[in-house]
Amino acid sequence: MKSFPASLQNHLDSGTTTLVWCWRLTRSDRTVFGFTDHDRPLAFDGTTFEPESGFTASEIRSGADLSVDAQEAEGVLTSDTITETDILDGRWDNATVEIWRVNWQDTANRALLRRGAIGQLRRGRLHFVAEMRSLAHVLGQTIGRTFQASCDADLGDVRCGVDLNDPVFKAAGTVVALSGDRGFAVSGLSGFADGWFAFGTLQWLSGANTGRKAEILSHAISGVNVIATLLEEPIRPIEVGNTLNIFAGCDKRFETCQAKFANAANFRGFPHIPGQDTVIRYAAKGDANSGAIL
């Protein structure tokens, strides 16, 4: 059971309360925002909690087990608080949240009810809905390695060791034509084999998506054109003339690690792990039945 400061408890016991909700959100870039459902700004602990965003919250869903407690907050998109651009750029993803119950007549009478993080964030044309997850959501995340045949390292990270800035694995290109929302023809890649950049990544150097990274689904040579298709449609439209850096991809197989990257010593999977077909094998009358592996 949560205990409250004596001053706040006395206020609750008085029978007539002046309590409001306050939310403090800290993004991954350490920018702090404060919101309240009160009709005027409140301030404490160096944060000003603004009412202008139209920030309102649902009831808190909570259980006695280790399931994730959740609450939804809905607000209007405004130019100076939570903007559509910030949401699209992912700046609010996994932002930390503090939920306070505050006496608006005396903000020293307050209690921190829970901490959590922004989960799913849905947006419309003029408003957003953010799911606030309790700290229990961390218990549902996979920690440690998985015993699997494919590699569990990210290409180019410390565990992998491949240098993606090597000209063999990196190229600069320019969009010369569009093919749907995710595909485009790109110059500068004529010296690379078909599929070399499939499952790789690219980073936009110019245009509306400048600075953003994207995953590549396929890379194919079609006549005189080199066509790249992204895994997901970018947040903002691709335009002819956009420049990019593109990096080779890996399908996480041991054979690819050995042949394409000459990096078999750093392969982070278990390529010789028995597959599901091994589990369902059985002895048959016509087999050798010598005691060897089936």
Side-chain angles (χ1 to χ4, degrees):
M1 182 176 179
K2 184 177 290 293
S3 59
F4 297 117
S7 57
L8 181 58
Q9 187 63 57
N10 292 335
H11 179 68
L12 292 169
D13 294 340
S14 68
T16 302
T17 61
T18 52
L19 299 177
V20 295
W21 290 103
C22 290
W23 301 269
R24 177 158 45 209
L25 281 69
T26 305
R27 299 190 318 203
S28 57
D29 60 4
R30 311 309 300 171
T31 304
V32 179
F33 294 84
F35 305 98
T36 179
D37 60 358
H38 192 39
D39 58 2
R40 63 182 178 86
L42 301 175
F44 58 85
D45 287 349
T47 302
T48 300
F49 297 81
E50 301 288 348
E52 284 85 356
S53 67
F55 204 76
T56 58
S58 70
E59 73 281 359
I60 298 175
R61 300 185 296 275
S62 182
D65 55 10
L66 293 178
S67 60
V68 179
D69 301 340
Q71 180 183 35
E72 286 189 344
E74 183 172 356
V76 178
L77 293 173
T78 60
S79 60
D80 57 348
T81 51
I82 298 181
T83 66
E84 182 179 17
T85 299
D86 287 344
I87 293 175
L88 290 174
D89 287 341
R91 295 184 179 181
W92 290 98
D93 294 350
N94 207 36
T96 58
V97 183
E98 295 178 357
I99 303 176
W100 293 81
R101 196 61 165 160
V102 182
N103 179 355
W104 61 266
Q105 289 187 330
D106 181 7
T107 57
N109 292 338
R110 63 180 185 271
L112 176 62
L113 296 189
R114 63 181 58 209
R115 290 187 175 93
I118 294 291
Q120 183 181 15
L121 197 152
R122 307 185 302 275
R123 67 179 183 88
R125 293 185 60 187
L126 299 174
H127 77 289
F128 68 90
V129 178
E131 180 189 26
M132 299 182 185
R133 297 175 179 172
S134 68
L135 294 177
H137 83 281
V138 179
L139 299 177
Q141 298 178 3
T142 301
I143 298 176
R145 299 186 62 189
T146 302
F147 194 60
Q148 60 186 23
S150 58
C151 181
D152 61 6
D154 291 327
L155 181 63
D157 69 7
V158 175
R159 296 173 60 230
C160 170
V162 171
D163 181 10
L164 287 179
N165 288 315
D166 188 319
V168 175
F169 306 125
K170 175 184 177 181
T174 302
V175 176
V176 295
L178 302 179
S179 177
D181 296 326
R182 297 182 294 133
F184 51 90
V186 57
S187 65
L189 307 184
S190 58
F192 295 90
D194 186 275
W196 189 257
F197 296 102
F199 307 114
T201 59
L202 65 78
Q203 183 173 25
W204 296 105
L205 303 179
S206 66
N209 293 295
T210 299
R212 297 191 64 85
K213 294 183 179 180
E215 295 180 85
I216 301 167
L217 177 63
S218 64
H219 158 232
I221 299 175
S222 177
V224 297
N225 295 320
V226 177
I227 306 297
T229 303
L230 302 182
L231 181 63
E232 296 180 345
E233 180 183 350
I235 290 176
R236 298 178 180 85
I238 304 170
E239 297 179 347
V240 172
N242 289 168
T243 56
L244 55 92
N245 280 334
I246 189 169
F247 301 90
C250 179
D251 59 8
K252 307 296 185 181
R253 297 187 305 125
F254 179 75
E255 294 79 6
T256 302
C257 185
Q258 187 175 41
K260 184 175 181 177
F261 300 101
N263 195 42
N266 288 327
F267 185 74
R268 302 301 178 178
F270 303 88
H272 306 299
I273 182 176
Q276 292 184 356
D277 56 337
T278 303
V279 177
I280 62 176
R281 287 178 182 172
Y282 58 91
K285 185 176 181 180
D287 293 339
N289 296 324
S290 61
I293 297 175
L294 295 176

